[in-house]
Amino acid sequence: MTPARPAPTLSLALVLTVLMTAWWAALGRADLAALRLPEPDDMMRLAQIRDWIDGQAFGDLTQARLGPPGGTAMHWSRLPDLVPALVIRLLSPLMGSARAEIAAVIFWPELLFFFHLLLSGALAKRHGAEGAALPAIALAALAFPAVALFMPGRIDHHGLQLVLVEAMALALLDRRTFLAGAVAGASLLIGVETAPVIVAAMLWLAAMWAGERRPVGGFGLGLVTAAITGLALLRPDVWPADRCDGFTRPLFAAMLIAGAGWLLLAASGKHPQERRWRLGAAAAVAVLAAAALWLVAPACIGHPYSATDPLIARIWPDHAGEYGGLLRQPIGRAVAFLGLPLIALAAAILFVARDRDRRTNWLLLAAMIAVAVATMLVQLRGAWFAAALAAPVLGQWVDRAGRHGLALLTAVWLLSAGLVWQTLGTVLDARPDPAAAGCTSRETLAGLERLDVGTFAAPMELSAYLLGGTGHRSLGGPYHRDVDGNRALAEFFLSTPDEARYQASLWTIDYVALCPTPTGGLPPALLRQGGLAAHLLNGAVPEWLEPVSLIGSDLLVWRVRGIAAPGARP
């Protein structure tokens, strides 16, 4: 017998995963070798994993080196820590902890990238001919900005959430509702970023129940199972009742309420025979669930990050909710993030109108992409889900265009490739990143690591790199739960030099740092005339600050003289 040949989709996904990961790793090999990861959240995740491996309790998500003395209780889940931590623990005895960490930060995004490609191909198959799967996999590998979540070093939780959302959509199309509910619940346990697209999927499922009497009880049971599993295994030690920014009490209640709603709907499924009665039953259950949510978990109705300190919201509007909306972005970035989702949404709507046999399947992807695009107006991260779900839609478009000549096929490929939109956005947006220019370079981190350990008052851009790349503390950071630290950081830079000296003593600040840019990496609101930040950028250094030189770095660093000296931690 000849051995079975692997499926073309599996082979293509594997080849693209290996080749693209190798290419990305080669481009960033110097940063990877120094464990200087692409994004601040990746560095923070690395710091969290290290803390856990070094003995921090599984349920203790406090980042002790962020914020005022005592640290900041993060809203992140341990779930994305599991695989990287396992790789590090297994490989450390064989190659040392540093090399094991490098292997982990390459392997984990690579594994998720492979699943992303496979799921994109599988979703394309559910919507048409077999020939759509291979183009969908290829387009999924080019689907900017979603594909950026799978580059080596991208170990934050967003890549895992993206894969879980794709798995939920596939399970819904396969009518495996329990799996869909469980996967949706798992994504919520990681973070509430997936809530909008999950709501879109639930609205689609309700419509299918009303129109086709499709079973929905499994989805509710899956949600409840995920919530109870999270309570048993993933509940953090700090479990607030006034936030819905992660796996908190309100989110747990919301998941139970949503699950109970689906179970109630399933229990009534045998009785309303006419579609209008089923629609009425679905509407009634939705109203009951919304009322229960309003009474039991009001934090999940409003802003997921709770009320923001007015000073922080004014100075760091993009960091108050962790990401700014589409309207705050330069035109180039808006085009790069929005181009692919809009093309996919238009194609999905066209398929809904013309493909009667698979209209209900197209409705699911169209609804999820539309909601993700709408989410981009508030938070740009919605583009990740929209771009990822665009691949199976546009794979179908490419497959159909191939029957109408090479010119049309080429045009469709170009319009469907996310990296083309990224390139166009780069051309349109010629402005340099104001927080770049070596503020977080590997040379800078190496220089900072050579300093005595202390607390930094530094721009948001630098804070997470301080935690993940050095042993220092950071007073502020782009994390909404660090309310006291971020407010203290703002007041410190806004204060006059004499007032700032008192602030340095109050918050035990050892170092002050600014990026080598015209604004120092700070938002304009902190450059108040007469304030400490303005003085430092103008070269008027107060006598209580001593300049510190870093070899190979242009970062501006000053050590606080005689106050809160390094080592004098409370």
Side-chain angles (χ1 to χ4, degrees):
M1 292 181 60
T2 58
R5 297 178 63 185
T9 53
L10 180 65
S11 299
L12 180 61
L14 184 60
V15 168
L16 286 175
T17 299
V18 173
L19 290 180
M20 292 188 69
T21 299
W23 173 248
W24 285 328
L27 291 177
R29 61 187 180 278
D31 280 340
L32 286 171
L35 283 168
R36 191 273 182 196
L37 305 186
E39 295 289 335
D41 280 1
D42 304 316
M43 297 298 291
M44 182 62 80
R45 178 67 64 182
L46 181 60
Q48 179 170 300
I49 292 171
R50 285 171 174 167
D51 290 344
W52 179 32
I53 291 176
D54 289 342
Q56 189 174 30
F58 184 81
D60 183 5
L61 298 179
T62 299
Q63 180 44 250
R65 294 187 291 126
L66 175 65
T72 299
M74 297 293 288
H75 63 291
W76 286 2
S77 169
R78 279 285 185 214
L79 196 55
D81 295 348
L82 298 180
V83 173
L86 178 62
V87 172
I88 294 170
R89 291 297 297 269
L90 290 177
L91 296 183
S92 289
L94 303 176
M95 59 178 62
S97 59
R99 291 184 178 180
E101 288 178 348
I102 294 172
V105 302
I106 294 175
F107 170 75
W108 179 226
E110 182 180 23
L111 180 64
L112 292 174
F113 187 43
F114 179 62
F115 288 147
H116 162 64
L117 298 183
L118 286 180
L119 287 167
S120 295
L123 283 169
K125 282 184 180 180
R126 299 307 185 274
H127 289 81
E130 292 279 332
L134 294 180
I137 291 175
L139 291 173
L142 304 174
F144 180 84
V147 69
L149 298 179
F150 304 110
M151 297 175 65
R154 293 304 311 267
I155 59 170
D156 66 1
H157 52 279
H158 303 303
L160 177 57
Q161 285 182 307
L162 189 60
V163 168
L164 291 174
V165 165
E166 292 174 312
M168 176 196 68
L170 181 62
L172 285 174
L173 295 178
D174 287 344
R175 303 198 177 201
R176 301 169 68 179
T177 52
F178 176 80
L179 177 61
V183 170
S187 74
L188 290 172
L189 294 178
I190 297 171
V192 295
E193 297 92 338
T194 60
V197 289
I198 290 175
V199 169
M202 290 196 297
L203 290 174
W204 175 87
L205 185 59
M208 293 304 100
W209 176 84
E212 302 177 1
R213 304 181 63 84
R214 185 170 296 195
V216 296
F219 192 88
L221 187 59
L223 267 180
V224 171
T225 301
I228 294 175
T229 302
L231 180 67
L233 302 178
L234 297 172
R235 172 181 168 180
D237 293 345
V238 177
W239 210 45
D242 60 340
R243 293 182 180 271
C244 194
D245 56 355
F247 186 49
T248 59
R249 296 182 190 182
L251 183 64
F252 174 69
M255 292 173 68
L256 292 182
I257 291 169
W262 287 111
L263 293 173
L264 180 61
L265 204 60
S268 67
K270 296 181 180 180
H271 303 293
Q273 299 298 323
E274 296 183 23
R275 179 179 297 184
R276 62 190 179 110
W277 290 110
R278 294 198 297 273
L279 285 171
V285 170
V287 170
L288 286 174
L293 194 64
W294 182 269
L295 292 174
V296 178
C300 293
I301 300 293
H303 198 287
Y305 301 116
S306 189
T308 303
D309 185 289
L311 178 62
I312 299 173
R314 178 172 61 86
I315 293 174
W316 287 294
D318 290 348
H319 288 305
E322 296 197 51
Y323 270 91
L326 185 67
L327 300 180
R328 290 178 180 165
Q329 310 303 323
I331 184 64
R333 181 178 295 178
V335 169
F337 276 65
L338 193 59
L340 185 66
L342 287 184
I343 292 292
L345 181 58
I349 293 173
L350 184 65
F351 292 148
V352 168
R354 294 186 176 182
D355 193 348
R356 293 187 177 183
D357 293 338
R358 299 179 181 86
R359 177 171 294 170
T360 57
N361 287 7
W362 288 118
L363 274 172
L364 174 61
L365 289 188
M368 294 176 70
I369 293 173
V371 168
V373 169
T375 304
M376 290 172 64
L377 297 175
V378 181
Q379 288 197 354
L380 201 58
R381 69 180 69 196
W384 299 331
F385 303 104
L389 295 170
V393 176
L394 297 175
Q396 187 73 221
W397 192 24
V398 167
D399 182 57
R400 298 185 184 192
R403 308 164 195 167
H404 300 283
L406 181 60
L408 179 62
L409 179 62
T410 302
V412 170
W413 268 109
L414 290 175
L415 288 173
S416 302
L419 293 183
V420 171
W421 292 101
Q422 181 194 20
T423 303
L424 178 60
T426 302
V427 171
L428 291 174
D429 188 9
R431 294 183 302 174
D433 184 352
C439 192
T440 63
S441 68
R442 59 183 181 275
E443 294 83 4
T444 294
L445 297 180
L448 291 173
E449 180 66 10
R450 288 190 286 266
L451 300 178
D452 292 335
V453 174
T455 298
F456 270 77
M460 293 283 191
E461 175 73 9
L462 181 58
S463 59
Y465 284 90
L466 284 167
L467 301 179
T470 76
H472 297 293
R473 299 185 80 261
S474 180
L475 181 61
Y479 302 100
H480 62 274
R481 285 201 183 181
D482 185 22
V483 177
D484 292 338
N486 287 337
R487 184 175 183 89
L489 182 67
E491 291 175 342
F492 176 73
F493 281 120
L494 286 171
S495 299
T496 66
D498 288 341
E499 294 169 340
R501 183 174 187 175
Y502 168 76
Q503 297 285 341
S505 177
L506 179 66
W507 297 107
T508 62
I509 296 172
D510 304 305
Y511 299 98
V512 181
L514 292 175
C515 298
T517 64
T519 65
L522 298 175
L526 287 184
L527 305 181
R528 181 179 68 86
Q529 185 176 4
L532 177 65
H535 273 77
L536 293 176
L537 290 173
N538 291 329
V541 181
E543 51 86 21
W544 53 274
L545 287 178
E546 173 189 2
V548 177
S549 296
L550 299 181
I551 299 176
S553 172
D554 293 330
L555 186 73
L556 306 175
V557 182
W558 298 269
R559 180 185 287 110
V560 178
R561 299 178 188 266
I563 302 176
R569 302 261 56 81

